[in-house]
Amino acid sequence: METQDLHRGRLIDHLQLVVADLAASKAFYSAVLGALEVPMGGSGDGWFWADELFVSTRDSEAAQGVLTGRQHLAFQARDRDMVEAFHRAALASGGRDNGAPGERDYHPGYYAAFVLDPDGNNIEAVYHGEARRSAPSVHITF
């Protein structure tokens, strides 16, 4: 059996989006996740995944034939430059602007950009300001 390495966050194990146009979504998410330095994990007939995100067509067994409704996903960015790179990559890969990079009033130092993906999901990259993490992620090997 092949060994797999997974990195998971603190609260969410995974998210699934069921999309109308898998090729458009794969191009979009490959670009924005690449800007965030998150590699694509794998793909198959009717699906792809990266880290905690799983994206499929409505015909995929995992989708149960229904598109997901409009969602808001926020990806962590290492710094302001990464937020800006995310925004540029999204716009160049089929995303639509939903809030240019900038400070938000959520808390001091909250720097984010918002885009709509090909299915209209509100996708955000956020940098919360200077902080020290105890670890970059939970690392699971099996």
Side-chain angles (χ1 to χ4, degrees):
M1 183 168 118
E2 183 179 322
T3 299
Q4 284 190 316
D5 283 329
L6 302 175
H7 293 265
R8 295 292 186 252
R10 182 173 68 93
L11 177 63
I12 303 298
D13 183 78
H14 70 276
L15 302 167
Q16 180 178 0
L17 294 177
V18 181
V19 300
D21 184 338
L22 190 68
S25 290
K26 188 171 185 182
F28 174 84
Y29 284 103
S30 292
V32 300
L33 293 174
L36 297 171
E37 298 179 4
V38 176
M40 296 303 287
S43 63
D45 187 30
W47 56 270
F48 66 89
W49 68 274
D51 210 272
E52 293 102 341
L53 180 63
F54 183 82
V55 180
S56 70
T57 64
R58 82 172 65 203
D59 297 330
S60 167
E61 287 182 28
Q64 301 174 354
V66 179
L67 297 175
T68 49
R70 187 164 185 232
Q71 306 296 317
H72 175 193
L73 305 179
F75 297 119
Q76 296 177 30
R78 182 180 55 243
D79 53 32
R80 289 175 175 225
D81 289 341
M82 189 174 267
V83 170
E84 293 167 9
F86 158 88
H87 192 254
R88 285 191 304 273
L91 297 182
S93 301
R96 295 172 306 188
D97 181 53
N98 199 32
E103 290 265 349
R104 301 302 193 268
D105 292 333
Y106 307 134
H107 67 68
Y110 195 108
Y111 190 84
F114 299 84
V115 296
L116 299 178
D117 77 1
D119 285 275
N121 294 298
N122 184 25
I123 310 301
E124 172 185 3
V126 59
Y127 171 61
H128 289 282
E130 292 297 322
R132 186 177 56 82
R133 291 179 177 263
S134 62
S137 66
V138 175
H139 188 180
I140 303 165
T141 303
F142 57 95

